[in-house]
Amino acid sequence: MLTVGFLTLLGIIGSTAWLAEQASSYFEQSNRSRSTRGSAVELRNALQSAESSQRGYLVGGNEIYLAPYDAAKAEVLAQFDRLNQLLPPSAQNATMLGRLSKIIPEKLAEMDRSIRLKRDFQDSEAATVFRSNRGKALMDEANLFLSSIIRGADDRLDTLLEDQRRNATLLRLATIIGGLIIVLVVGGATAMVFRYAWEVSHARNELNALNLTLEQRVVRRTAELAEARDRAELLVTEVNHRVANSLALVASLVRLQSNLITDRESKDALKETEARILAVASVHKRLYSGGDARFVDLQEYLTNVLENVEASMRGQGHVASLRYDLEPLKLKTDWSINLGVIVNEWVTNAFKYAYPEKPGEVRVRLRRLAGDKAELSVEDDGVGRADGPAKGTGLGTRIVNAMARSIGGDVEYVAGGTGTVARLAFSAAREG
């Protein structure tokens, strides 16, 4: 209904604009027709005035009769030029103008000749020219064409006036019809608004009735959800506790196995495996002892991993010291496990290979970078990372690379004669 009303209003505005444009066009045409008619009348009057002046002079011989003659001649020529410009182009108008362009000069020439003969006292010749009736014939023909032009202008004015009256009637009709449609639309819209208001009031009453029991249902549902959440948290805690205990048991079995082996390389391999298992178990221990199973506090978790690694390395006879600087950072559980394994591998390698002859220091640092980045680095001042085959089995390097790829990290080793720096840049976008 609003669309109909809007389109109706646009129709009224469009009709008004179109009729206004038509009225402007009619006004211009009317002015042109009036000017054409006025020029034709003035031209005819000037010819008649010049002819009257000529005849008065020929009959009376008094120069006073010629006083308006020159002015009438000038007016004839001026009005004929104006008529030439005002008449609309058409075959009929072209014919009339062509004929008038011959009649008027000839008429003026005939009057000039008779006046000149009279002034030269050639009265008989002047009378002969006058009695020839050539001037009257020219004047009659000119009057015929000018009257035709005047009637044509009058007809055009009548037609334009009738068109304006018809357009005004159409505008009134369109306005009345459009106004009725708009009134109907407004009435219909008002009725719909009242109906909508009634429906809203009815729906509000129904909603109030439902709300009487909704609060009880919400309380009951909230209690059920809280109970379910407590059960889920308890279950997750129990799972992490069991996983941590199971991993600790596996680590103990590996340690017992290593104690029974006399081969040094096998013994070291089992010790490294034990350290890796303990790094993973430490995460699950933090999960069941903490309040959030989704994220791990890296500062606390890596501190525990580094303490275990340092104790293990000292138990194996390595005398390097360990220093670490860990900024507070929380990360998803699976990412935290990967970082713990990487730290375990790098610190273990630094203890085993950086200081073969003298004690030294191993430094671990975790820091935030610009944006959502973080960096983990392990640095020593030992003999450096030599080119060529990796020391040991190379399993640790493969583990580090695999763990780094799984978290989208970039591993970099900076080696020299005075130590090695191992860096891992990774995204901290999953930080809690």
Side-chain angles (χ1 to χ4, degrees), residues 183-302:
V183 168
L184 291 175
V185 168
V186 171
T190 303
M192 291 180 66
V193 168
F194 278 111
R195 180 178 178 181
Y196 175 73
W198 179 84
E199 290 177 352
V200 168
S201 176
H202 184 67
R204 184 171 58 247
N205 293 334
E206 291 182 351
L207 182 61
N208 290 334
L210 291 174
N211 284 337
L212 294 176
T213 59
L214 179 60
E215 185 175 352
Q216 297 177 356
R217 292 200 301 270
V218 169
V219 171
R220 185 171 61 254
R221 184 58 178 165
T222 302
E224 293 174 355
L225 290 175
E227 184 180 354
R229 184 191 59 212
D230 292 342
R231 287 199 302 270
E233 290 178 354
L234 180 62
L235 180 61
V236 170
T237 301
E238 182 65 21
V239 168
N240 282 307
H241 181 64
R242 291 179 182 273
V243 170
N245 288 342
S246 298
L247 291 174
L249 178 60
V250 172
S252 298
L253 293 175
V254 172
R255 183 169 60 254
L256 290 174
Q257 185 67 41
S258 67
N259 291 335
L260 298 176
I261 295 176
T262 57
D263 180 66
R264 186 63 185 176
E265 291 185 0
S266 300
K267 196 178 192 67
D268 290 343
L270 288 176
K271 287 290 185 182
E272 292 176 4
T273 300
E274 179 188 353
R276 292 166 186 149
I277 295 172
L278 289 176
V280 177
S282 180
V283 171
H284 291 280
K285 182 179 179 181
R286 289 290 177 273
L287 290 178
Y288 76 74
S289 61
D292 192 350
R294 298 172 301 164
F295 300 100
V296 174
D297 185 344
L298 288 181
Q299 188 179 49
E300 180 182 356
Y301 164 59
L302 293 182

Side-chain angles (χ1 to χ4, degrees), residues 356-372:
E357 299 178 355
K358 61 178 182 178
E361 184 181 67
V362 178
R363 295 177 294 279
V364 180
R365 186 179 182 187
L366 175 68
R367 63 191 182 102
R368 295 173 181 271
L369 301 178
D372 292 330

Side-chain angles (χ1 to χ4, degrees), residues 37-57:
R37 187 184 190 283
S39 292
V41 170
E42 291 295 329
L43 176 57
R44 185 177 63 182
N45 291 340
L47 279 174
Q48 290 174 351
S49 178
E51 187 180 53
S52 297
S53 178
Q54 173 227 12
R55 289 181 178 180
Y57 177 66

